[in-house]
Amino acid sequence: MTAGTGAAEGGTFHERLTALAERRIEMGEVRGVAAADPVNLPMIRHWTDAIGDANPLYTDPEAAEGGVHGEIVAPPAMIQVWSMPGVRRSGRQVSTPVDDVLRMLDENGHTGVVATNCEQTYHRYVRLGERPVPATRFAGLSGPKRTALGEGYFVTWNVTWYAGDEPVATMLFRVLKFRPREREEVPPPKPATINAAPRAPYLLRPATPMDDAARTPDPPKTVTAMDDAAPRAPYPLRPAVNRDTEFFWEGVAKGELRIQKCAGCGELRHPPGPVCPSCRSADRTYVVAGGEGEVYSYVVHHHPPVPGRETPFVVAVVELPEGVRMVGNVTECASSEVGIGMPVRVTYRQMDDELTLPMWIPREA
Amino acid sequence: MVSFSGSTAVAGIGATEFSKQSGRSELQLAAEAVSAALDDAGLTPSDVDGLVTYTQDANDEIAVAREVGIGDLSFFSRVHYGGGAACGTVLHAAMAVATGVAETVVCYRAFNERSGRRFGQPDARIGGEPSSQGLEMSWHVPYGLMTPAAWVAMFAQRYMHAYGVTSEDFGRVAVAMRRHASTNPAAWFYQRPITLEEHQASRWIVEPLHLLDCCQESDGAVALVVTSAERARDLRRSPVLITGAAQGAGAGQMMMTSYYRDDMTGLPEMGVVGGRLWEQSGLGPSDVQTAILYDHFTPFVLTQLEELGFCGRGEARDFVAGGGIEIDGHLPVNPHGGQLGEAYIHGMNGIAEAVRQIRGTSVNQVSGVHNVLVTAGTGVPTSGLILSAE
């Protein structure tokens, strides 16, 4: 039990979490432990070397003396470096107002974390010998939000580094703490195996605020999770696949648009099914569609947000010359250019490491 | 052959208030509406021996029976396909009564559709299971086509293309519903009519549908008491006869994505229902003084007018022009304000309004009502009713 979490044991998780967040906001800024070492030249040298910053004002005493600062200063983007607790966290720790909010989320299964925002403002350069002290302020909680990664809460905090009483840098940091999608719940389709380099999303393991800082020793990035991370995360809108439909998804994975064909009477059918409604035959085969079609009807989805998708997007009923219709997205053109009768041809888009979807793009008539 | 037509009746109606946050459980809402309907009929819980609801309702018949104090049940049934179940519950009840399976059946629908699970929100799980419906959804959900508004919009676009229908034609439906709701104190949009300009200016949800083409989301419950016409005559209220009741699904039907049939401009399942209703009742469109047409989204109100024979194919835009479906038009539709104006109780509140119109007790009473046609969810396998005065 951490201080304060006992006050609102009743209510839903959301209510308890919100109540805790409100109390943490009320705490205001909480000072942490000063940098373990004073700002020093060896660390600056390692860091600028790793980053590739050859500016002599950071490392050459003579150049620095003649420069605008008159002495060695640390690169501003190093500010987090000075107060990192270290991998083993052996030094003295002071909990921040964020810690038990993140812990409560972890305990409720929101174990996933993705950093979505990091914005730093530098008030002045930090000089050799100074020992910045980080102070953390809990800034806000929003959610639950349904995201491409899973349902979660955005947690935001501010850190200000002080040299003495003077603020030298401030940072807004925001993470999405999410409940990872359960893979068992939505089995991936069997056939979808495509050769492509897996792309790792900007994911971190469950962490405290200072942990996040510890694992991002490079200059801070601003990552917008929904714009950047979503296409890399497992695509959330997966088809159910069974023995009656797997031939279609196997085809898509190979770049073939397959239409079920009755082996008895030859009738083409989409969506497919196990028994031919015309001749009762359960013997099935397929033909590969030519890949062309015309928009028979379409919609432009604006609202509400759809997991794994950026709005607006176009979904169309496409009529194929083979005599069947298929639903799919029309891409690579503005939604205002889509119209009924528009000629399209199929293409394939890999949605994640496992799923490929057929898509439709404009073609010359 | 046993027939329920004319020999069964709606004897009572009950409802909770319609809100955006009921502040109570769905089971409590169900119990309140069922009790209110029994009070309206002048019956007691011990008179009830049957209960019917939707497959989507979260309140089991036995749970409702426990809360209301209903004793033994000899009939319980569920009707599938979302809001398409609405009139189907009355059909099931009437069949049970007409065959002697039960004497007094209560139909109910209760949900916190706004404060609880909202049907309009995308749910990635709907395509996740290899059930027949999960597989059906799997041809659509991966492409982000996964909300009722989007499913309906796909039909609407083709309908507009085929008949030169415009968004303003859809808007006239919304304006009519909001006009009716504006004088119905039970309606969420009481005293809040809209103009066609406001409809046009409202944001896109899924083109070609604007926000004001989409019905609201509501918390609430409605219940109806069905019994024999003979018994109803001895009860508190004048009986409202069930003259016609039918369910319908069309060839090539899907839950809400029947895009693979030859034509996408009609609602064949509603054609099935309409054909059955006219046949059972011996009535035709001109015998109906007011209609309750399911209005989760405006375009299908036009399609229904055509499918049920109130006008020809492609003529609904002219039918609704100039206030044709408003309270003083040639066919007043949804005098209570419909689901666009009163509340979205999955069509059940529309049946209650039909009962009031027959009784002559509606706040927006149409004069000389003898027969009312009621429909259920559109774009899905559906159902319908014709209710009549004695």
Side-chain angles (χ1 to χ4, degrees):
Chain A
M1 179 68 66
T2 50
T5 51
E9 281 305 316
T12 64
F13 168 74
H14 176 77
E15 288 163 356
R16 285 183 286 120
L17 180 69
T18 306
L20 176 63
E22 282 168 5
R23 291 197 303 277
R24 291 299 167 261
I25 288 169
E26 284 167 12
M27 284 173 74
E29 191 170 84
V30 175
R31 284 213 167 201
V33 180
D37 298 298
V39 173
N40 62 84
L41 185 55
M43 186 68 90
I44 294 172
R45 199 189 310 282
H46 284 298
W47 192 88
T48 52
D49 181 53
I51 295 295
D53 188 341
N55 189 337
L57 296 180
Y58 296 140
T59 50
D60 180 345
E62 282 182 26
E65 202 169 331
V68 291
H69 306 295
E71 60 180 311
I72 294 265
V73 292
M78 274 188 81
I79 190 66
Q80 274 179 287
V81 171
W82 305 114
S83 56
M84 279 182 193
V87 175
R88 267 170 283 283
R89 318 188 124 246
S90 47
R92 190 169 73 89
Q93 301 290 315
V94 172
S95 64
T96 78
V98 187
D99 295 350
D100 50 5
V101 175
L102 296 178
R103 191 175 305 121
M104 189 185 234
L105 282 158
D106 278 332
E107 288 167 2
N108 192 51
H110 293 81
T111 52
V113 59
V114 55
T116 64
N117 300 74
C118 178
E119 296 164 18
Q120 296 190 340
T121 307
Y122 312 114
H123 303 305
R124 73 158 169 84
Y125 284 82
V126 179
R127 298 183 282 269
L128 294 181
E130 290 184 313
R131 291 181 67 168
V133 178
T136 304
R137 178 196 302 277
F138 190 95
L141 172 82
S142 77
K145 298 277 171 67
R146 193 173 293 175
T147 76
L149 295 168
E151 177 261 347
Y153 287 82
F154 286 95
V155 184
T156 307
W157 62 88
N158 302 117
V159 179
T160 301
W161 282 268
Y162 291 89
D165 288 331
E166 184 188 4
V168 293
T170 53
M171 174 175 74
L172 176 149
F173 206 85
R174 180 174 297 132
V175 298
L176 170 68
K177 287 288 290 171
F178 61 97
R179 187 190 291 275
R181 287 173 55 252
E182 287 177 26
R183 301 296 293 230
E184 296 74 21
E185 216 176 66
V186 187
K190 276 189 208 160
T193 309
I194 289 276
N195 296 325
R199 291 173 295 177
Y202 184 56
L203 285 172
L204 307 174
R205 68 171 168 80
T208 63
M210 292 304 108
D211 253 351
D212 286 327
R215 233 169 280 105
T216 50
D218 45 351
K221 343 173 166 181
T222 297
V223 179
T224 309
M226 290 312 97
D227 292 339
D228 199 24
R232 301 173 178 184
Y235 181 65
L237 307 179
R238 314 194 76 85
V241 179
N242 78 349
R243 63 184 66 197
D244 297 331
T245 67
E246 63 187 355
F247 78 95
F248 179 88
W249 300 104
E250 283 168 1
V252 168
K254 292 175 182 166
E256 288 181 3
L257 194 64
R258 295 175 177 175
I259 307 169
Q260 177 175 298
K261 181 181 181 181
C262 175
C265 69
E267 186 167 282
L268 299 185
R269 183 183 181 200
H270 186 88
V275 179
C276 177
S278 295
C279 76
R280 290 196 196 177
S281 172
D283 292 335
R284 296 157 251 166
T285 178
Y286 62 81
V287 296
V288 177
E292 296 194 342
E294 273 189 10
V295 172
Y296 187 80
S297 192
Y298 70 99
V299 301
V300 185
H301 189 106
H302 292 265
H303 193 79
V306 171
R309 291 278 170 165
E310 276 181 35
T311 55
F313 60 88
V314 176
V315 193
V317 174
V318 177
E319 194 154 65
L320 276 55
E322 288 84 359
V324 298
R325 293 182 196 150
M326 287 187 187
V327 164
N329 297 111
V330 178
T331 64
E332 297 183 22
C333 67
S335 61
S336 57
E337 292 168 22
V338 179
I340 288 176
M342 175 185 185
V344 289
R345 70 179 163 80
V346 75
T347 182
Y348 299 90
R349 179 168 302 174
Q350 192 176 345
M351 306 309 289
D352 58 27
D353 294 345
E354 291 171 337
L355 179 65
T356 299
L357 291 178
M359 297 270 164
W360 299 88
I361 59 175
R363 69 171 161 90
E364 295 299 313
Chain B
M1 182 122 53
V2 178
S3 171
F4 56 77
S5 178
S7 62
T8 56
V10 179
I13 56 175
T16 64
E17 82 288 358
F18 306 134
S19 74
K20 301 297 179 194
Q21 184 145 25
S22 73
R24 39 208 206 279
S25 70
E26 295 186 339
L27 182 57
Q28 184 174 341
L29 296 178
E32 288 177 19
V34 170
S35 296
L38 291 172
D39 290 346
D40 182 57
L43 290 167
T44 64
S46 60
D47 293 315
V48 177
D49 53 2
L51 287 168
V52 187
T53 187
Y54 301 44
T55 51
Q56 278 192 359
D57 200 278
N59 308 291
D60 278 355
E61 303 90 309
I62 52 175
V64 172
R66 287 199 304 270
E67 295 312 306
V68 176
I70 293 167
D72 297 344
L73 291 174
S74 59
F75 176 69
F76 30 87
S77 174
R78 294 264 182 148
V79 185
H80 195 26
Y81 305 117
C87 299
T89 63
V90 177
L91 169 65
H92 285 217
M95 289 194 296
V97 169
T99 54
V101 168
E103 191 173 1
T104 304
V105 181
V106 182
C107 308
Y108 63 91
R109 179 71 173 116
F111 56 21
N112 288 322
E113 199 281 328
R114 181 60 180 78
S115 67
R117 190 171 92 73
R118 303 171 64 182
F119 300 164
Q121 296 297 313
D123 181 352
R125 290 168 302 179
I126 58 177
E129 274 184 42
S131 62
S132 64
Q133 188 171 314
L135 289 167
E136 192 182 298
M137 291 288 180
S138 293
W139 303 111
H140 310 101
V141 168
Y143 310 103
L145 187 73
M146 56 193 304
T147 62
W151 294 326
V152 171
M154 192 72 86
F155 287 104
Q157 187 82 266
R158 186 71 200 182
Y159 179 76
M160 294 167 88
H161 174 81
Y163 297 120
V165 172
T166 66
S167 170
E168 292 191 343
D169 295 321
F170 298 152
R172 290 184 181 92
V173 175
V175 169
M177 297 308 107
R178 293 290 292 269
R179 176 188 167 190
H180 298 168
S182 74
T183 54
N184 171 9
W188 178 258
F189 286 118
Y190 177 51
Q191 295 180 332
R192 282 185 284 174
I194 57 166
T195 63
L196 193 56
E197 291 68 34
E198 286 171 311
H199 169 273
Q200 289 293 294
S202 67
R203 64 178 166 139
W204 289 122
I205 297 300
V206 181
E207 289 179 59
L209 299 187
H210 289 274
L211 173 67
L212 292 177
D213 286 307
C214 308
C215 79
Q216 55 186 313
E217 298 178 290
S218 308
D219 288 7
V222 172
L224 312 159
V225 180
V226 174
T227 188
S228 67
E230 188 182 353
R231 185 145 185 268
R233 288 185 189 101
D234 297 332
L235 297 177
R236 182 175 291 161
R237 298 288 199 167
S238 307
V240 171
L241 299 179
I242 299 168
T243 313
Q247 289 180 275
Q253 181 84 51
M254 286 193 175
M255 178 66 184
M256 251 186 129
T257 52
S258 304
Y259 307 142
Y260 308 91
R261 308 190 283 208
D262 288 347
D263 184 24
M264 267 180 63
T265 61
L267 289 167
E269 53 281 356
M270 193 59 80
V272 172
V273 169
R276 297 284 298 166
L277 293 178
W278 301 134
E279 186 187 327
Q280 286 169 357
S281 63
L283 301 172
S286 62
D287 299 313
V288 167
Q289 290 77 42
T290 177
I292 308 293
L293 302 183
Y294 199 89
D295 59 332
H296 55 358
F297 301 99
T298 56
F300 279 157
V301 172
L302 301 189
T303 324
Q304 288 180 87
L305 289 166
E306 297 170 9
E307 202 67 62
L308 294 164
F310 290 103
C311 63
R313 298 279 174 191
E315 294 174 3
R317 59 176 300 198
D318 301 321
F319 193 90
V320 302
I325 59 169
E326 295 185 21
I327 190 85
D328 40 16
H330 37 251
L331 178 72
V333 170
N334 301 346
H336 61 313
Q339 304 192 99
L340 288 155
E342 186 184 62
Y344 175 70
I345 312 294
H346 236 174
M348 218 56 161
N349 51 321
I351 305 175
E353 170 67 5
V355 170
R356 287 188 294 265
Q357 288 288 339
I358 299 288
R359 289 176 176 175
T361 59
S362 172
V363 292
N364 293 326
Q365 184 63 44
V366 175
S367 60
V369 174
H370 194 80
N371 300 302
V372 182
L373 181 141
V374 191
T375 62
T378 40
V380 293
T382 188
S383 54
L385 293 172
I386 293 177
L387 301 180
S388 305
E390 288 255 50

